[in-house]
Amino acid sequence: MLNLPPAPWEDGGSAPFSPASPPARSMAALLASLSLQRRSREVGLQLRAGLRDVRAEFSYVRLRGLRKVGLVVESAAESDELADVFRESQLYSELQLVPAICEHSIGPSTADDEDDDDDDEGGRAGQCGRAMAPTAEEVEVALHVLEGCCLLDPATSRQLAASYHVIKDILIHLSPMSSTPLGDPPASLMACCLNALPAILLATPRALESMDVHKGVLHVAPIVKDRQIPLYLRAKAVEFLALFLAQLKDLAAGGGGGSTVEVAGRWLRDAVHDLEDVVGERAAQLIEGAATGRGGMLSEDMLEERVTRIAEMF
């Protein structure tokens, strides 16, 4: 949490005017404006300091930077005023967190690289000149920060995350079926991936399309039936798949409007087909039922019980 010392005008001294008088109201408005400007300046300074480290060559420096900017995101989540300041800061390219996180800690991939399927991990690392590849701890912290950015600032950060092809990068870290320098992902990293994915995908057609292109269901569904993975993670994978299908069903039903309806129907069919291939038709139907339950037909407790029961089937 950002703890700023009180400003000179916030020292609690006695006011020279009656609080109800016009001069007092004008003074209060002026002081509120000064306080907001001060908070904006401090947030900007903290973001700049953190971003310098996030773009560093060495993992331990990047990790330090991620924790600095993570402090800003955490503080913004606890304060409506700071949340507004944070959202405004993300309109300026020099303060945007998502591009730096995607390029240096999670991927990297670039927004200009539309043909990212041809990129290998060495080429991707070379694009940002890293001397040291990210550790699992760095990726976990980066995913936490990315998740917070997308939840606090969906208008800008979610779209940036989709443009940087971060879905593919997260799937690489999530699934042992992909080639990754970190080897098989630890449980904590898998949990971070499953938490970050919904924050990026929510109401973002471009990110949902990326899940379809990179066969995201084939990366997540094997977790559900892998008994070597803790039950809570398998249940989290079921919950994610249910949320993903619910998003596609909403778009296919007209939630996205226009041409999105037809293409979302194709994404939905592809996702269900891939899910059936991995977990079987019966389990896939149950997960689809959980997706329907997310629309309000089931209570949270009933939904959690259903998700856990599906995970225990295997």
Side-chain angles (χ1 to χ4, degrees), residues 54-56 62 99-108 128 130 134 138:
V54 170
R55 298 186 179 105
R62 295 195 298 268
I101 291 171
C102 292
E103 289 178 348
H104 296 270
S105 291
I106 297 178
C128 64
R130 294 180 306 186
E138 180 188 339

Side-chain angles (χ1 to χ4, degrees), residues 39-217:
R39 285 181 176 271
S40 299
R41 184 172 61 253
E42 293 295 335
V43 166
L45 289 172
Q46 182 84 353
L47 289 176
R48 283 188 173 89
L51 283 168
R52 277 197 301 270
D53 288 345
V54 170
R55 298 186 179 105
E57 294 184 5
F58 297 98
S59 181
Y60 71 92
V61 181
R62 295 195 298 268
L63 186 58
R64 183 178 65 196
L66 288 168
R67 287 178 172 143
K68 286 179 183 176
V69 297
L71 193 62
V72 176
V73 175
E74 180 184 348
S75 300
E78 297 175 0
S79 165
D80 291 340
E81 184 182 51
L82 279 179
D84 290 338
V85 170
F86 175 75
R87 280 189 283 269
E88 184 178 358
S89 74
Q90 295 308 287
L91 297 174
Y92 300 94
S93 59
E94 67 271 19
L95 297 180
Q96 287 174 343
L97 298 183
V98 170
I101 291 171
C102 292
E103 289 178 348
H104 296 270
S105 291
I106 297 178
S109 58
T110 64
D112 296 326
D113 179 20
E114 293 297 332
D115 190 19
D116 64 340
D117 287 330
D118 295 330
D119 288 341
D120 60 24
E121 291 304 305
R124 292 151 73 86
Q127 288 174 2
C128 64
R130 294 180 306 186
M132 182 185 295
T135 62
E137 182 183 10
E138 180 188 339
V139 177
E140 288 175 24
V141 177
L143 288 169
H144 277 305
V145 177
L146 179 64
E147 178 188 357
C149 289
C150 291
L151 292 175
L152 282 169
D153 179 39
T156 301
S157 293
R158 246 179 227 160
Q159 300 304 322
L160 282 171
S163 71
Y164 275 78
H165 307 295
V166 74
I167 296 297
K168 178 185 178 182
D169 298 325
I170 293 175
L171 293 173
I172 287 173
H173 288 298
L174 175 66
S175 174
M177 68 183 282
S178 301
S179 173
T180 166
L182 299 177
D184 289 352
S188 56
L189 177 55
M190 294 173 71
C192 290
C193 291
L194 291 171
N195 286 334
L197 281 172
I200 302 165
L201 292 170
L202 193 61
T204 312
R206 186 170 183 180
L208 292 168
E209 180 184 19
S210 187
M211 275 288 290
D212 179 70
V213 168
H214 299 298
K215 294 294 183 181
V217 171

Side-chain angles (χ1 to χ4, degrees), residues 216-247:
V217 171
L218 294 181
H219 289 261
V220 179
I223 297 172
V224 177
K225 56 186 299 185
D226 189 343
R227 286 187 169 273
Q228 295 184 341
I229 294 175
L231 178 61
Y232 82 92
L233 271 180
R234 287 153 52 202
K236 186 180 285 290
V238 171
E239 186 175 17
F240 166 74
L241 290 167
L243 177 61
F244 177 54
L245 293 179
Q247 280 284 296

